[in-house]
Amino acid sequence: MPDEVRFATKPRLAWEMIAAALDAGVKAPWVTGDEAYGQDPQLRASLETRGTGYVMAVACSTRVRINQGRTPVRADTAAGRLPAAAWQRQSTGPGAKGPGYYDWAWIHIGTGAHRHLLIRRNRTTRELAFHLCWSPTLVTLAELVRITGVRWSVEECFQAAKGQVGLDHYQVRNWTSWHRHITLAMLILAFLTAVADSAPKRSTGPQPPARNSEPISLTVPEIRHLFTAVLSPPTVTPARLLHWSNWRRRHQATARHSHYQQRSPDEPEG
């Protein structure tokens, strides 16, 4: 490890990367993260200073100020006082198993109109999750809900990198070789993602996709599978390879249709 590298917490590392991106001209109106980042007041303050909105997960024991900042209270206590009419059923966006519907409520905290406590309630277990939110301009509840859903794309990216290109297949014994491995793995994932993004897409709106024989769009795992089969010594003909690809994706389309039906807004989550 280079001598100039010093220990830094995860929130500190996150802020250094965010600041570098903002300084480079990256347009990032929102930042979202889990409790490891949401519980850090310095990170939240730094984002506010730069005018970047955030939706950060926090613990149920987090204390917030309601009644125009006059009354300090725990987040879960504030949620328990909400009337039934305060909850709205909304989706965080489409996913592999359909739209993720939850019940949501928000509470103005502090003295301004740009600071909220956002609460998510699981429709089946009634479990609550809490988020501290700040925005430089007025926003809607639907926009804050959308941002919470964006966070999962980061998790999906890491899972894809580990499962498809071996991001975690290294023992981290040397600084230089570790960076080379990580860089190569992420470069390959970026290439596969670009290929998948450029392929023809099937429409996947908020409604369940119609049941038909059309396969789903090409995915990163499917493209990696095809590249592996093409670059390795062929054991089957290209026509048979494409036939199996279409077969897999047709069955995935059927499974997706079933998931969307099960997770409609009027049905409980499975």
Side-chain angles (χ1 to χ4, degrees):
M1 184 176 296
D3 294 337
E4 63 272 16
V5 175
R6 295 290 183 267
F7 171 80
T9 63
K10 291 178 67 176
R12 178 61 188 176
L13 293 172
W15 172 243
E16 290 177 358
M17 289 188 288
I18 293 169
L22 295 176
D23 291 341
V26 174
K27 304 299 182 182
W30 291 99
V31 169
T32 182
D34 60 23
E35 287 186 23
Y37 304 97
Q39 296 290 144
D40 189 278
Q42 190 171 17
L43 174 58
R44 301 198 308 268
S46 298
L47 290 168
E48 293 181 25
T49 300
R50 295 294 296 262
T52 301
Y54 59 78
V55 178
M56 296 288 198
V58 293
C60 64
S61 58
T62 300
R63 299 188 71 82
V64 297
R65 289 187 169 273
I66 59 176
N67 298 329
Q68 291 296 312
R70 295 188 297 269
T71 308
V73 64
R74 281 174 53 117
D76 52 0
T77 301
R81 298 175 180 175
L82 290 172
W87 297 93
Q88 302 181 35
R89 184 156 298 174
Q90 297 196 27
S91 169
T92 54
K97 296 184 178 181
Y101 283 99
Y102 296 88
D103 293 331
W104 299 86
W106 61 342
I107 302 171
H108 286 285
I109 58 176
T111 57
H114 301 262
R115 203 177 298 276
H116 297 85
L117 173 67
L118 178 66
I119 310 159
R120 185 190 72 195
R121 185 175 67 190
N122 188 289
R123 295 161 54 198
T124 302
T125 66
R126 317 299 283 182
E127 181 182 3
L128 300 179
F130 303 89
H131 307 79
L132 289 181
C133 310
W134 179 86
S135 60
T137 60
L138 294 177
V139 295
T140 63
L141 173 62
E143 177 67 359
L144 296 180
V145 170
R146 184 188 70 82
I147 298 303
T148 63
V150 171
R151 184 183 122 201
W152 299 112
S153 63
V154 179
E155 303 291 341
E156 292 170 354
C157 180
F158 277 119
Q159 291 299 322
K162 293 176 181 179
Q164 301 302 321
V165 297
L167 181 70
D168 57 345
H169 296 178
Y170 188 75
Q171 295 180 344
V172 195
R173 293 184 177 182
N174 182 276
W175 176 270
T176 301
S177 57
W178 176 74
H179 275 79
R180 289 173 178 171
H181 173 83
I182 296 299
T183 302
L184 180 60
M186 296 307 294
L187 177 61
I188 296 172
L189 180 62
F191 168 75
L192 294 174
T193 303
V195 173
D197 186 64
S198 63
K201 299 291 188 299
R202 289 190 63 200
S203 176
T204 55
Q207 300 300 321
R211 185 189 297 273
N212 57 43
S213 59
E214 290 294 320
I216 67 170
S217 302
L218 283 168
T219 61
V220 167
E222 187 64 26
I223 292 173
R224 185 191 65 82
H225 177 85
L226 292 172
F227 268 114
T228 301
V230 169
L231 298 177
S232 300
T235 56
V236 297
T237 64
R240 184 139 183 96
L241 177 66
L242 292 176
H243 169 78
W244 276 110
S245 175
N246 286 328
W247 182 89
R248 280 192 298 270
R249 291 185 289 122
R250 279 197 300 270
H251 280 264
Q252 289 168 344
T254 301
R256 177 175 292 179
H257 173 79
S258 298
H259 284 306
Y260 268 69
Q261 285 188 319
Q262 293 173 2
R263 300 193 66 176
S264 66
D266 298 325
E267 296 293 334
E269 290 184 336

